[in-house]
Amino acid sequence: DNVLEDSRKIFEDVHADFCDISKILLKFQEWKEKFPDSYCDAYISFCLPKILNPLIRIQLINWNPLEQDVTQLEEMPWFRAIEEFSGARNLSASR
């Protein structure tokens, strides 16, 4: 219980644009569209997992896949945001 309580406080002093995965990915999408060469040179595809890892871990602290009424990973907002950003949804739809 203490871990769950402490996990909620971790990002309370962080600006909302930098603790929400959708908003972070939106910034990267804007960068990708406006400055594709710079985006590519920065190897963002290698950096994003490291950037998003702490945010995802916080959201998974109380997730228990063994519960009966558990939300599946694919249904979680952060998963959908990453899927949309990566274009994985478009790839699976075209198959």
Side-chain angles (χ1 to χ4, degrees):
D1 289 335
N2 289 339
V3 172
L4 290 175
E5 186 177 318
D6 291 344
S7 71
R8 291 184 191 108
K9 296 177 185 177
I10 289 177
F11 292 110
E12 68 183 18
D13 64 341
V14 177
H15 191 277
D17 286 350
F18 302 105
C19 62
D20 181 292
I21 292 175
S22 298
K23 291 179 182 179
I24 293 170
L25 291 174
L26 180 61
K27 300 272 186 202
F28 281 102
Q29 186 64 36
E30 290 172 358
W31 180 14
K32 185 178 184 178
E33 291 170 1
K34 290 180 183 176
F35 308 103
D37 292 336
S38 168
Y39 181 88
C40 184
D41 290 344
Y43 296 100
I44 297 304
S45 61
F46 294 119
C47 300
L48 276 177
K50 293 177 183 175
I51 293 169
L52 300 179
N53 186 6
L55 298 164
I56 293 170
R57 285 177 174 239
I58 291 292
Q59 293 183 30
L60 291 177
I61 284 178
N62 66 347
W63 183 68
N64 183 354
L66 301 177
E67 290 179 359
Q68 286 191 357
D69 295 329
V70 68
T71 302
Q72 298 298 315
L73 284 176
E74 297 85 9
E75 297 170 4
M76 294 184 173
W78 63 265
F79 188 94
R80 290 183 178 180
I82 294 170
E83 185 178 48
E84 184 178 308
F85 176 81
S86 69
R89 189 176 289 173
N90 296 337
L91 289 175
S92 63
S94 65
R95 289 184 185 172

